[in-house]
Amino acid sequence: VRLVRAVKNRFGSVDEIGIFVMGDKGLEEVKDPAEFFISERKDDFLPPGIAYTAVTEGSRTFIVEIQALVVDAKSGYSRVYSDKVDSQRVLRIAAILERHAAVRLADKDIYINVAGGMKVNEVSAELAIALALWSASHDISLPSRMVSFGELSLAGEVRPVNYGDRRIKAAAEMGFDKALVPASMNLDNSRILLKRCQKVRDAFTFR
């Protein structure tokens, strides 16, 4: 996946981006980026370790699928395998989960991936990564139509992020009916059912 962003545009905003994939004839435009970063599934069942989040790139907001796999460490100490999300961020989120949500990950190998191959750098994805890790480690599926976003502090708090209403709007347009969001964010709840959490441990009482 290649994101092309305008740095100078005399006819419009420089916030516009293009999304391309490498095909047989070179770079090809992604016709429907809204659904490109979500895996197709025939039923409503979501496998354990899958969580959805809303990320912004320029003027666009996408729903992306975070995938997590947690297995026993093979070499005596845990490792993180993640090329689409910074591995140091994943380590920090794992430490927060151990300290504030009693999720044991110190003796596990952690694999993190993003469907569609997009690199995710936004702090807003941290809550979704935490949910995916919790889901994978407990072998429990998350609600299939739930999206989440929020930054995690080292104290286990879920902090607000920018463009909240844009993220909610994108999720509702994609058919999501629930959103797990920071408690302090003032968001439009007419489109989607909001569940608010102040601490990361509160995020796992979504049922």
Side-chain angles (χ1 to χ4, degrees):
V1 179
R2 297 290 185 269
L3 301 183
V4 179
R5 185 190 304 273
V7 295
K8 184 176 181 181
N9 183 1
R10 69 177 61 182
F11 301 108
S13 171
V14 294
D15 287 336
E16 296 298 331
I17 63 170
I19 303 178
F20 301 87
V21 293
M22 183 62 72
D24 295 337
K25 298 181 180 180
L27 287 176
E28 300 175 356
E29 180 185 3
V30 174
K31 298 296 185 182
D32 188 6
E35 297 184 355
F36 181 75
F37 301 107
I38 296 179
S39 300
E40 293 185 10
R41 296 186 175 90
K42 293 183 179 180
D43 52 27
D44 240 6
F45 174 75
L46 201 63
I50 303 295
Y52 297 113
T53 190
V55 300
T56 60
E57 284 286 348
S59 63
R60 296 189 179 187
T61 303
F62 307 103
I63 305 300
V64 300
E65 177 181 302
I66 305 292
Q67 304 169 349
L69 177 64
V70 175
V71 298
D72 291 337
K74 299 178 178 63
S75 55
Y77 59 94
S78 62
R79 293 184 179 181
V80 171
Y81 301 87
S82 174
D83 61 342
K84 303 306 177 187
V85 180
D86 181 59
S87 59
Q88 293 301 311
R89 173 171 291 170
V90 177
L91 277 171
R92 178 168 56 81
I93 294 170
I96 292 170
L97 289 176
E98 286 233 25
R99 176 64 179 86
H100 298 287
V103 180
R104 184 175 177 81
L105 297 169
D107 58 350
K108 306 294 183 183
D109 284 343
I110 296 172
Y111 298 80
I112 295 289
N113 188 44
V114 180
M118 180 178 182
K119 286 194 174 183
V120 174
N121 298 314
E122 277 196 310
V123 295
S124 64
E126 291 181 353
L127 180 57
I129 295 170
L131 284 168
L133 286 172
W134 177 89
S135 172
S137 64
H138 287 76
D139 198 29
I140 297 176
S141 297
L142 299 171
S144 60
R145 297 281 90 193
M146 184 179 77
V147 68
S148 61
F149 53 85
E151 179 185 358
L152 300 185
S153 76
L154 293 180
E157 301 161 317
V158 182
R159 294 172 49 81
V161 295
N162 294 331
Y163 309 118
D165 284 328
R166 278 173 55 179
R167 300 177 200 273
I168 292 295
K169 181 175 182 284
E173 290 175 349
M174 288 290 295
F176 289 84
D177 56 16
K178 300 183 186 69
L180 190 61
V181 300
S184 59
M185 291 189 71
N186 184 20
L187 298 170
D188 178 15
N189 62 357
S190 62
R191 293 174 172 267
I192 198 168
L193 177 64
L194 298 181
K195 175 175 172 54
R196 301 178 183 275
C197 55
Q198 186 170 2
K199 299 282 189 177
V200 67
R201 62 174 176 267
D202 302 331
F204 310 126
T205 58
F206 47 78
R207 296 185 184 277

